[in-house]
Amino acid sequence: MRFEAPFLLWLLFAVVYDFRQRRIPNWLVLAGALGALIALAFGAAPFGHGWTSALLGAAVGFGFLLVFHLLGLMGAGDVKYAGALGLWVGLAALAPIWIISSVLAAAHGLLWLALQRWPLSPRLALFLFGQPISRDGQTPTRRTRFIPYAAYLSVAAAIWMVWGRQSL
């Protein structure tokens, strides 16, 4: 038996929380890391990997995204979340998950740019970006994280969990 249901539940919490709050709280990261460690202890990781792959996945997931955080391009919660996600998925699944989530985040960013120029729907803008776009098309003065990258990492992990198994 694999711990797929707890993993998917954790992903769902991250998606909802990141889209609504535009942040990933430490308790959610710690809960995910603890869940991954428990799954590994029982030999029931959802992706069927072992301790070495999980620990490498956590280190690479955290370390790679830390560079983007240090450049000011990503929030610290996303970085910590990527480390916990690495524990769940292992090193081998990180690259396809990053590619999928980056494509989703890029689409989000392009949609944000389009809605800045042509505000089609204020409700859509509020859902996607966490704040309404001003009528004059100017971005708000305070800097916000408008791309919920942890949510896209979660969606990508769920996609890879289904699609990646079928392609192997």
Side-chain angles (χ1 to χ4, degrees), residues 69-133:
H69 173 67
L70 294 175
L71 293 172
L73 301 173
M74 183 171 289
D78 295 327
V79 176
K80 293 180 278 187
Y81 184 80
L85 183 65
L87 279 174
W88 275 108
V89 303
L91 184 61
L94 276 182
I97 288 171
W98 276 338
I99 291 168
I100 295 167
S101 62
S102 295
V103 167
L104 294 172
H108 184 116
L110 290 172
L111 186 56
W112 179 77
L113 289 173
L115 288 176
Q116 287 292 309
R117 297 188 187 278
W118 181 53
L120 176 66
S121 168
R123 284 188 177 186
L124 178 61
L126 182 61
F127 173 73
L128 289 174
F129 314 119
Q131 60 189 357
I133 296 174

Coordinates of all heavy atoms in Angstrom, one line a residue, residues 69-133:
H69 N 14.8 32.3 -4.9 CA 14.4 33.1 -3.7 C 15.5 34.2 -3.5 O 15.1 35.3 -3.2 CB 14.2 32.2 -2.5 CG 14.0 33.0 -1.2 ND1 12.9 33.7 -1.0 CD2 14.8 33.2 -0.1 CE1 12.9 34.3 0.1 NE2 14.1 34.0 0.7
L70 N 16.7 33.8 -3.5 CA 17.8 34.8 -3.3 C 17.8 35.9 -4.3 O 18.3 37.0 -4.0 CB 19.1 34.1 -3.2 CG 19.3 33.1 -2.0 CD1 20.6 32.4 -2.1 CD2 19.2 33.8 -0.7
L71 N 17.4 35.6 -5.5 CA 17.3 36.6 -6.6 C 16.0 37.4 -6.4 O 15.8 38.3 -7.2 CB 17.3 35.9 -7.9 CG 18.6 35.3 -8.3 CD1 18.5 34.5 -9.6 CD2 19.8 36.3 -8.4
G72 N 15.1 37.1 -5.5 CA 13.9 37.9 -5.3 C 12.8 37.5 -6.2 O 11.8 38.2 -6.3
L73 N 12.9 36.3 -6.8 CA 11.9 35.9 -7.8 C 10.9 34.9 -7.2 O 9.9 34.6 -7.9 CB 12.6 35.2 -9.0 CG 13.6 36.1 -9.7 CD1 14.3 35.3 -10.8 CD2 12.9 37.3 -10.4
M74 N 11.1 34.5 -6.0 CA 10.2 33.4 -5.4 C 10.1 33.6 -3.9 O 11.1 34.0 -3.3 CB 10.8 32.1 -5.8 CG 10.0 30.9 -5.3 SD 10.6 29.4 -6.1 CE 10.2 29.6 -7.8
G75 N 9.0 33.2 -3.3 CA 8.9 33.3 -1.9 C 9.6 32.2 -1.2 O 9.8 31.1 -1.7
A76 N 9.9 32.4 0.1 CA 10.6 31.4 0.9 C 9.7 30.1 1.1 O 10.2 29.0 1.2 CB 11.0 31.9 2.2
G77 N 8.4 30.3 1.2 CA 7.5 29.2 1.3 C 7.5 28.3 0.2 O 7.4 27.0 0.3
D78 N 7.7 28.8 -1.0 CA 7.8 28.0 -2.2 C 9.0 27.1 -2.2 O 9.0 25.9 -2.5 CB 7.8 28.8 -3.5 CG 6.5 29.6 -3.8 OD1 5.5 29.0 -3.4 OD2 6.6 30.7 -4.3
V79 N 10.1 27.7 -1.7 CA 11.4 27.0 -1.6 C 11.3 25.8 -0.6 O 11.7 24.7 -0.8 CB 12.5 27.9 -1.2 CG1 13.8 27.2 -1.0 CG2 12.7 29.0 -2.2
K80 N 10.7 26.1 0.6 CA 10.6 25.1 1.6 C 9.6 24.0 1.1 O 9.8 22.8 1.4 CB 10.1 25.7 2.9 CG 11.1 26.6 3.6 CD 10.6 27.2 4.9 CE 9.7 28.4 4.6 NZ 9.3 29.2 5.8
Y81 N 8.5 24.4 0.5 CA 7.6 23.5 -0.1 C 8.2 22.5 -1.1 O 8.0 21.3 -1.1 CB 6.4 24.2 -0.7 CG 5.3 23.3 -1.2 CD1 4.4 22.8 -0.3 CD2 5.2 23.0 -2.5 CE1 3.4 21.9 -0.8 CE2 4.3 22.1 -3.0 CZ 3.3 21.6 -2.1 OH 2.4 20.8 -2.6
A82 N 9.1 23.1 -1.9 CA 9.8 22.2 -2.9 C 10.7 21.2 -2.2 O 10.8 20.1 -2.7 CB 10.6 23.1 -3.8
G83 N 11.3 21.6 -1.1 CA 12.1 20.6 -0.3 C 11.2 19.5 0.2 O 11.5 18.3 0.1
A84 N 10.0 19.8 0.8 CA 9.1 18.8 1.3 C 8.6 17.9 0.1 O 8.4 16.7 0.2 CB 8.0 19.4 2.0
L85 N 8.3 18.6 -1.0 CA 7.8 17.8 -2.2 C 8.8 16.9 -2.7 O 8.5 15.7 -3.1 CB 7.4 18.8 -3.3 CG 6.8 18.2 -4.5 CD1 5.5 17.5 -4.2 CD2 6.6 19.2 -5.6
G86 N 10.1 17.3 -2.6 CA 11.2 16.4 -3.0 C 11.2 15.1 -2.2 O 11.6 14.0 -2.7
L87 N 10.9 15.2 -0.9 CA 10.8 14.0 0.0 C 9.7 13.1 -0.5 O 9.9 11.9 -0.6 CB 10.5 14.4 1.4 CG 11.7 14.9 2.3 CD1 11.1 15.4 3.6 CD2 12.7 13.8 2.5
W88 N 8.6 13.7 -0.9 CA 7.5 12.8 -1.4 C 7.8 12.2 -2.7 O 7.4 11.0 -2.9 CB 6.2 13.7 -1.5 CG 5.4 13.9 -0.3 CD1 5.3 15.0 0.4 CD2 4.6 12.9 0.3 NE1 4.5 14.8 1.5 CE2 4.0 13.5 1.5 CE3 4.3 11.6 0.1 CZ2 3.1 12.9 2.3 CZ3 3.4 10.9 1.0 CH2 2.8 11.6 2.1
V89 N 8.4 12.9 -3.7 CA 8.5 12.4 -5.0 C 9.8 11.8 -5.4 O 9.9 11.1 -6.4 CB 8.1 13.5 -6.1 CG1 6.7 14.0 -5.8 CG2 9.1 14.6 -6.1
G90 N 10.9 12.2 -4.7 CA 12.2 11.7 -5.0 C 12.9 12.5 -6.1 O 12.2 13.3 -6.7
L91 N 14.1 12.2 -6.3 CA 14.9 13.0 -7.2 C 14.5 12.8 -8.7 O 14.4 13.8 -9.4 CB 16.4 12.6 -7.1 CG 17.4 13.4 -7.9 CD1 17.3 14.9 -7.6 CD2 18.8 12.9 -7.7
A92 N 14.1 11.6 -9.1 CA 13.8 11.3 -10.5 C 12.6 12.1 -11.0 O 12.5 12.5 -12.1 CB 13.6 9.8 -10.7
A93 N 11.6 12.3 -10.1 CA 10.4 13.0 -10.6 C 10.5 14.5 -10.5 O 9.6 15.2 -11.0 CB 9.2 12.5 -9.7
L94 N 11.5 15.0 -9.9 CA 11.6 16.5 -9.8 C 11.6 17.2 -11.1 O 10.9 18.2 -11.3 CB 12.7 16.9 -8.9 CG 12.5 16.9 -7.4 CD1 13.8 17.4 -6.7 CD2 11.4 17.7 -7.0
A95 N 12.4 16.8 -12.0 CA 12.6 17.5 -13.3 C 11.3 17.6 -14.1 O 10.9 18.7 -14.5 CB 13.7 16.8 -14.1
P96 N 10.6 16.5 -14.3 CA 9.3 16.6 -15.0 C 8.3 17.5 -14.2 O 7.5 18.2 -14.8 CB 8.8 15.2 -15.2 CG 9.6 14.3 -14.4 CD 10.9 15.1 -14.1
I97 N 8.3 17.4 -12.9 CA 7.4 18.2 -12.1 C 7.7 19.7 -12.3 O 6.8 20.5 -12.4 CB 7.3 17.7 -10.7 CG1 6.6 16.4 -10.6 CG2 6.7 18.8 -9.7 CD1 6.7 15.7 -9.2
W98 N 9.0 20.0 -12.2 CA 9.4 21.4 -12.4 C 9.1 21.9 -13.8 O 8.6 23.0 -14.0 CB 10.9 21.6 -12.2 CG 11.3 21.7 -10.8 CD1 10.5 22.1 -9.7 CD2 12.6 21.5 -10.2 NE1 11.3 22.1 -8.6 CE2 12.5 21.7 -8.8 CE3 13.8 21.0 -10.7 CZ2 13.6 21.6 -8.0 CZ3 14.9 20.9 -9.9 CH2 14.8 21.2 -8.5
I99 N 9.2 21.1 -14.8 CA 8.9 21.5 -16.2 C 7.4 21.8 -16.3 O 7.0 22.9 -16.8 CB 9.3 20.5 -17.2 CG1 10.9 20.4 -17.3 CG2 8.7 20.7 -18.6 CD1 11.4 19.2 -18.0
I100 N 6.6 20.9 -15.8 CA 5.1 21.1 -15.9 C 4.7 22.3 -15.1 O 3.9 23.2 -15.6 CB 4.4 19.8 -15.4 CG1 4.6 18.6 -16.3 CG2 2.9 20.1 -15.3 CD1 4.2 17.3 -15.7
S101 N 5.2 22.5 -13.9 CA 4.8 23.6 -13.0 C 5.3 24.9 -13.6 O 4.7 25.9 -13.5 CB 5.3 23.4 -11.6 OG 6.7 23.3 -11.5
S102 N 6.5 24.9 -14.2 CA 7.0 26.1 -14.9 C 6.2 26.5 -16.1 O 6.0 27.7 -16.3 CB 8.5 25.9 -15.3 OG 9.3 25.7 -14.1
V103 N 5.7 25.6 -16.8 CA 4.8 25.9 -18.0 C 3.5 26.5 -17.4 O 3.0 27.5 -18.0 CB 4.6 24.6 -18.8 CG1 3.4 24.8 -19.8 CG2 5.8 24.2 -19.6
L104 N 3.0 25.9 -16.4 CA 1.7 26.4 -15.8 C 1.9 27.8 -15.2 O 1.1 28.7 -15.4 CB 1.2 25.5 -14.7 CG 0.7 24.1 -15.1 CD1 0.5 23.2 -13.9 CD2 -0.5 24.2 -16.0
A105 N 3.1 28.0 -14.5 CA 3.4 29.4 -14.0 C 3.6 30.4 -15.1 O 3.2 31.5 -15.0 CB 4.6 29.3 -13.1
A106 N 4.2 30.0 -16.2 CA 4.5 30.9 -17.3 C 3.1 31.3 -17.9 O 2.9 32.5 -18.3 CB 5.4 30.2 -18.4
A107 N 2.2 30.3 -18.1 CA 0.9 30.6 -18.6 C 0.2 31.6 -17.7 O -0.5 32.5 -18.1 CB 0.1 29.4 -18.8
H108 N 0.3 31.4 -16.4 CA -0.3 32.3 -15.4 C 0.3 33.7 -15.6 O -0.5 34.7 -15.6 CB 0.0 31.8 -14.0 CG -0.6 32.6 -12.9 ND1 -1.5 32.0 -12.0 CD2 -0.4 33.8 -12.5 CE1 -1.9 32.9 -11.2 NE2 -1.2 34.0 -11.4
G109 N 1.6 33.8 -15.7 CA 2.2 35.1 -15.9 C 1.8 35.8 -17.2 O 1.6 37.0 -17.2
L110 N 1.7 35.0 -18.3 CA 1.2 35.6 -19.5 C -0.2 36.1 -19.4 O -0.6 37.2 -20.0 CB 1.4 34.6 -20.7 CG 2.8 34.3 -21.1 CD1 2.8 33.1 -22.1 CD2 3.5 35.5 -21.6
L111 N -1.0 35.3 -18.8 CA -2.4 35.8 -18.5 C -2.5 37.0 -17.7 O -3.3 37.9 -17.9 CB -3.2 34.6 -17.9 CG -4.7 34.9 -17.7 CD1 -5.4 35.2 -19.0 CD2 -5.4 33.7 -17.1
W112 N -1.6 37.1 -16.7 CA -1.5 38.3 -15.9 C -1.1 39.5 -16.7 O -1.8 40.6 -16.6 CB -0.5 38.1 -14.8 CG -0.3 39.3 -13.9 CD1 -1.1 39.8 -12.9 CD2 0.8 40.3 -14.0 NE1 -0.6 40.9 -12.3 CE2 0.5 41.2 -13.0 CE3 1.9 40.4 -14.7 CZ2 1.4 42.3 -12.7 CZ3 2.8 41.5 -14.5 CH2 2.5 42.4 -13.5
L113 N -0.2 39.4 -17.6 CA 0.2 40.5 -18.5 C -1.0 40.9 -19.4 O -1.2 42.0 -19.7 CB 1.4 40.1 -19.4 CG 2.7 40.0 -18.6 CD1 3.8 39.4 -19.5 CD2 3.1 41.3 -18.1
A114 N -1.7 39.9 -20.0 CA -2.8 40.2 -20.8 C -3.9 40.9 -20.1 O -4.5 41.9 -20.6 CB -3.3 38.9 -21.4
L115 N -4.2 40.5 -18.8 CA -5.2 41.1 -18.1 C -4.8 42.5 -17.6 O -5.7 43.3 -17.3 CB -5.6 40.2 -16.9 CG -6.5 39.0 -17.3 CD1 -6.7 38.2 -16.0 CD2 -7.8 39.4 -17.9
Q116 N -3.5 42.8 -17.5 CA -3.1 44.1 -17.2 C -3.4 45.1 -18.3 O -3.8 46.2 -18.1 CB -1.6 44.1 -16.9 CG -1.1 43.5 -15.6 CD -1.6 44.3 -14.5 OE1 -1.4 45.5 -14.4 NE2 -2.2 43.7 -13.5
R117 N -3.3 44.6 -19.5 CA -3.6 45.4 -20.7 C -5.1 45.5 -21.0 O -5.6 46.4 -21.5 CB -2.9 45.0 -21.9 CG -1.4 45.1 -21.7 CD -0.7 44.7 -23.0 NE 0.8 44.7 -22.8 CZ 1.6 45.7 -22.8 NH1 1.1 46.9 -22.9 NH2 2.9 45.6 -22.7
W118 N -5.8 44.4 -20.8 CA -7.2 44.2 -21.1 C -7.9 43.5 -20.0 O -8.0 42.3 -20.1 CB -7.3 43.5 -22.4 CG -8.7 43.3 -22.9 CD1 -9.7 44.3 -23.1 CD2 -9.3 42.1 -23.3 NE1 -10.8 43.8 -23.6 CE2 -10.7 42.4 -23.7 CE3 -8.9 40.8 -23.4 CZ2 -11.5 41.4 -24.2 CZ3 -9.8 39.8 -23.8 CH2 -11.1 40.2 -24.2
P119 N -8.4 44.2 -19.0 CA -9.1 43.5 -17.9 C -10.4 42.9 -18.3 O -11.4 43.5 -18.2 CB -9.2 44.6 -16.8 CG -9.2 45.9 -17.6 CD -8.4 45.6 -18.8
L120 N -10.4 41.7 -18.7 CA -11.5 41.0 -19.2 C -12.5 40.7 -18.1 O -13.7 41.0 -18.2 CB -11.1 39.6 -19.8 CG -12.2 38.7 -20.3 CD1 -12.9 39.3 -21.5 CD2 -11.6 37.3 -20.7
S121 N -12.1 40.3 -17.0 CA -12.9 39.9 -15.9 C -12.3 40.2 -14.5 O -11.3 39.6 -14.2 CB -13.3 38.5 -15.9 OG -14.0 38.1 -14.7
P122 N -12.8 41.2 -13.8 CA -12.2 41.4 -12.5 C -12.2 40.2 -11.5 O -11.2 40.0 -10.8 CB -13.0 42.6 -11.9 CG -13.7 43.2 -13.1 CD -13.9 42.1 -14.1
R123 N -13.2 39.4 -11.6 CA -13.2 38.2 -10.8 C -12.1 37.2 -11.2 O -11.5 36.6 -10.3 CB -14.6 37.5 -10.9 CG -15.6 38.2 -10.1 CD -16.9 37.4 -10.1 NE -17.9 38.1 -9.2 CZ -19.0 37.6 -8.9 NH1 -19.4 36.4 -9.4 NH2 -19.8 38.3 -8.2
L124 N -11.9 37.0 -12.5 CA -10.8 36.2 -12.9 C -9.5 36.7 -12.4 O -8.6 36.0 -11.9 CB -10.8 36.0 -14.4 CG -9.7 35.2 -15.0 CD1 -9.8 33.8 -14.5 CD2 -9.8 35.2 -16.6
A125 N -9.3 38.0 -12.5 CA -8.0 38.6 -12.0 C -7.9 38.4 -10.5 O -6.8 38.1 -10.1 CB -8.0 40.1 -12.4
L126 N -8.9 38.6 -9.8 CA -8.9 38.4 -8.3 C -8.5 36.9 -8.0 O -7.7 36.7 -7.1 CB -10.2 38.8 -7.7 CG -10.3 38.7 -6.2 CD1 -9.3 39.6 -5.5 CD2 -11.7 39.0 -5.7
F127 N -9.1 36.0 -8.7 CA -8.8 34.6 -8.5 C -7.3 34.3 -8.8 O -6.6 33.6 -8.1 CB -9.7 33.7 -9.3 CG -9.4 32.2 -9.2 CD1 -9.6 31.5 -8.0 CD2 -8.8 31.6 -10.2 CE1 -9.3 30.2 -7.9 CE2 -8.4 30.2 -10.2 CZ -8.7 29.5 -9.0
L128 N -6.9 34.7 -10.0 CA -5.5 34.4 -10.4 C -4.4 35.1 -9.7 O -3.4 34.6 -9.5 CB -5.4 34.7 -11.9 CG -6.2 33.7 -12.8 CD1 -6.0 34.2 -14.3 CD2 -5.6 32.3 -12.7
F129 N -4.7 36.4 -9.3 CA -3.6 37.2 -8.8 C -3.8 37.7 -7.4 O -3.0 38.4 -6.8 CB -3.4 38.4 -9.7 CG -3.4 38.0 -11.2 CD1 -4.4 38.4 -12.0 CD2 -2.5 37.0 -11.6 CE1 -4.4 38.0 -13.4 CE2 -2.5 36.6 -12.9 CZ -3.5 37.1 -13.8
G130 N -4.9 37.3 -6.8 CA -5.1 37.7 -5.3 C -5.5 39.1 -5.0 O -5.6 39.4 -3.9
Q131 N -5.6 39.9 -6.1 CA -6.0 41.3 -5.9 C -6.5 41.8 -7.2 O -6.2 41.4 -8.2 CB -4.8 42.1 -5.4 CG -3.7 42.1 -6.4 CD -2.4 42.8 -5.9 OE1 -2.4 43.3 -4.8 NE2 -1.4 42.8 -6.6
P132 N -7.5 42.8 -7.1 CA -8.0 43.3 -8.3 C -7.0 44.1 -9.1 O -6.2 44.8 -8.5 CB -9.2 44.1 -7.8 CG -8.9 44.4 -6.4 CD -8.1 43.3 -5.9
I133 N -7.1 44.1 -10.4 CA -6.3 45.0 -11.2 C -7.0 46.3 -11.3 O -8.2 46.5 -11.5 CB -6.2 44.4 -12.6 CG1 -5.4 43.1 -12.5 CG2 -5.4 45.3 -13.6 CD1 -5.4 42.3 -13.9

